[in-house]
Every structure is written in structure tokens, then in C-alpha cells.
Amino acid sequence: MTYFCYIHRQTGGVPHLEVLPATSRGPAIDSAARLMAQRSDAVRAEVWEDERLIFSLPRESAGRPFSS
């Protein structure tokens, strides 16, 4: 399964896109949290599985891991 991560920024516009190397949802969400933490202007990360949104991560949650 391919996971995509969109990082939405405070300034709006086109979000930053990353194709995630993860093969399951938990690691994909963890990767999205790390990517968002690297960008000071990020407000939200979305993890998509093909054309389906599977998770939206707000900025205040970026430091917490989600998979076990």
C-alpha cells in the first residue's frame, strides 16, 4: 500500500507532498508526525491511502508517536 502525506502550512497554498516509505498505517502516521515537526510553519498533516484520507494530524499532536 502506498501512503501519501500532505503537510498544510500557515500561509495556505499548495501543501507539501511526501510519499511515505511505510507499509502500514501506524508507521505512516509516525512518519507524518516527524515530517510535520520538521516544518515550523506546518499546521496539519494528512495521511492518505490512495484516494482515501485515513488520518489528519493537528500541529499540537506532532510530537506524540502513534504506533506501538
Side-chain angles (χ1 to χ4, degrees), residues 5-30:
C5 177
Y6 292 93
I7 305 293
H8 296 268
R9 298 171 268 194
Q10 291 173 345
T11 57
V14 178
H16 176 77
L17 168 66
E18 293 273 345
V19 178
L20 302 176
T23 57
S24 61
R25 288 183 182 190
I29 293 168
D30 290 343

Side-chain angles (χ1 to χ4, degrees), residues 28-68:
I29 293 168
D30 290 343
S31 293
R34 282 191 297 278
L35 288 169
M36 188 166 56
Q38 293 172 1
R39 297 180 171 275
S40 62
D41 65 339
V43 293
R44 183 177 76 254
E46 294 176 346
V47 177
W48 290 75
E49 183 176 25
D50 295 323
E51 295 180 1
R52 189 177 71 200
L53 175 65
I54 61 166
F55 199 81
S56 184
L57 179 69
R59 178 68 185 195
E60 58 271 5
S61 299
R64 296 187 318 215
F66 288 89
S67 67
S68 48

